[in-house]
Amino acid sequence: MLNKIKGGLFGVAIGDALGCTTEFMTPKEIQETFGTVDSIRGGGPFFFLKGEVTDDTDMTLCVAKGILESPEDPIEAIGHHFLTWKNSHPKDIGNTVATALNQYKGNWEVASRQTNILLGGKTAGNGSLMRTLPVALAYTNPFKIMMMSHKQSKMTHWDEKANEACILYNRIAHRLLLGEELKKAIEEEVEGTIYRIAILAEPNEVPNAYVVNTLRWVLYLLYTSTSFKEVLVRATNMGYDSDTTAAIAGGLAGIYYGFDGIPAEYVDDILIKEEITEIAEKITQFRHTQA
């Protein structure tokens, strides 16, 4: 289980660190500039250091810490970590998340609803999906996973498309943690949903920050790749919102292929690898207490 949980968290961080280089670029621009990006380089529009992670990983770790501190009802603890992170002046923070954190006055539901009003109803971004994985890593009860996936998403993203994406993603993660095959888990979870198209053909839309587009691409890349590295390199070289696409895909790929299936050079490059390892070990210990 530690191999899977550690793999999931490092998968998020490595996808994030790989994808930040090509964020906002088109595949053509990436090809002309780099050829193929298959190593962690840093750079990108926010000038990240090699191995530095972005808001995707930072917020994922905030969710993990909040759950570990207050597992029965972690929302306030998660929110505390969000606000502490925001006050550290991160290089990049998504518009929906930033608005919600600025609107928070003691009630996350009110902040989220107000954010939705201020943004004209456009709160179906991928900013809650990118951070949701610790819910599936920590909890073992499927109902609890669905409930907490929704609640942590709703803190900032009012639109139900964002919340539903978090639930679907964590349902797949839960199945992978129990040892199911990746393709089988995806096939059964997307049946009857707007994401079924992802296992039938390459998505028509670009992998931008709209949560439906993001998750369709994530599922397509996972379904049509055969290794951890292939998933993340393909996501990175798709461009657009590449750090988030690769981080989200990396979370599931990391669980499925395990920490042992991640190239060592990727792990070595991550600047906060000790913190991620410590959190993975704590989540694994907590998970065992629910058995």
Side-chain angles (χ1 to χ4, degrees):
M1 186 55 67
L2 177 59
N3 187 45
K4 292 177 183 293
I5 290 173
K6 196 173 173 183
L9 290 178
F10 268 98
V12 171
I14 291 165
D16 191 12
L18 270 168
C20 74
T21 304
T22 58
E23 188 178 11
F24 303 143
M25 298 176 76
T26 66
K28 185 173 184 287
E29 289 169 340
I30 295 167
Q31 180 64 37
E32 291 173 349
T33 306
F34 301 109
T36 298
V37 176
D38 59 5
S39 61
I40 294 174
R41 301 169 178 239
F46 299 102
F47 305 103
F48 285 99
L49 302 174
K50 178 182 177 179
E52 189 177 7
V53 295
T54 82
D55 55 336
D56 303 69
T57 305
D58 288 339
M59 297 197 81
T60 297
L61 297 183
C62 287
V63 173
K65 292 172 186 175
I67 291 171
L68 289 168
E69 289 171 14
S70 184
E72 287 306 309
D73 189 6
I75 299 305
E76 290 305 316
I78 291 170
H80 169 75
H81 285 287
F82 284 173
L83 294 169
T84 300
W85 167 73
K86 171 183 170 287
N87 291 334
S88 72
H89 306 292
K91 292 180 181 180
D92 181 24
I93 179 168
N95 188 41
T96 304
V97 169
T99 304
L101 297 186
N102 287 331
Q103 289 301 310
Y104 177 72
K105 302 293 187 291
N107 186 304
W108 286 105
E109 183 176 350
V110 171
S112 181
R113 186 169 61 242
Q114 185 63 22
T115 296
N116 193 60
I117 294 169
L118 290 172
L119 297 182
K122 296 181 178 179
T123 55
N126 55 22
S128 62
L129 179 60
M130 72 186 191
R131 68 185 190 229
T132 197
L133 184 63
V135 173
L137 299 181
Y139 298 111
T140 58
N141 181 286
F143 177 76
K144 184 95 169 177
I145 291 169
M146 292 172 63
M147 180 181 69
M148 287 301 177
S149 298
H150 188 277
K151 288 182 73 172
Q152 79 80 24
S153 177
K154 199 81 169 182
M155 292 172 71
T156 53
H157 288 64
W158 188 259
D159 195 302
E160 283 302 310
K161 287 189 287 293
N163 307 325
E164 290 163 0
C166 290
I167 292 171
L168 176 63
Y169 180 83
N170 275 337
R171 283 172 62 97
I172 294 171
H174 174 66
R175 296 174 76 136
L176 298 180
L177 286 161
L178 297 180
E180 289 195 23
E181 286 297 311
L182 179 61
K183 284 191 174 184
K184 178 175 181 287
I186 292 174
E187 287 167 356
E188 294 189 4
E189 289 299 335
V190 301
E191 187 63 39
T193 75
I194 59 174
Y195 297 101
R196 187 172 182 272
I197 189 67
I199 67 173
L200 302 175
E202 180 177 306
N204 291 322
E205 55 280 326
V206 299
N208 56 21
Y210 177 45
V211 71
V212 175
N213 293 353
T214 301
L215 188 51
R216 280 178 174 161
W217 270 106
V218 164
L219 296 174
Y220 173 76
L221 293 170
L222 288 163
Y223 196 78
T224 56
S225 299
T226 57
S227 70
F228 176 88
K229 182 175 182 177
E230 183 185 354
V231 172
L232 271 66
V233 169
R234 289 174 70 192
T236 295
N237 289 277
M238 286 299 305
Y240 298 99
D241 199 14
S242 48
D243 60 328
T244 302
T245 306
I248 294 167
L252 293 183
I255 295 173
Y256 182 65
Y257 294 104
F259 182 74
D260 294 344
I262 298 175
E265 60 270 22
Y266 285 164
V267 175
D268 291 342
D269 282 341
I270 298 299
L271 299 182
I272 59 166
K273 51 184 170 290
E274 290 83 6
E275 180 183 3
I276 295 172
T277 297
E278 181 182 355
I279 289 174
E281 290 170 350
K282 288 180 177 179
I283 290 176
T284 304
Q285 292 167 2
F286 170 71
R287 186 180 177 93
H288 286 325
T289 67
Q290 299 171 78

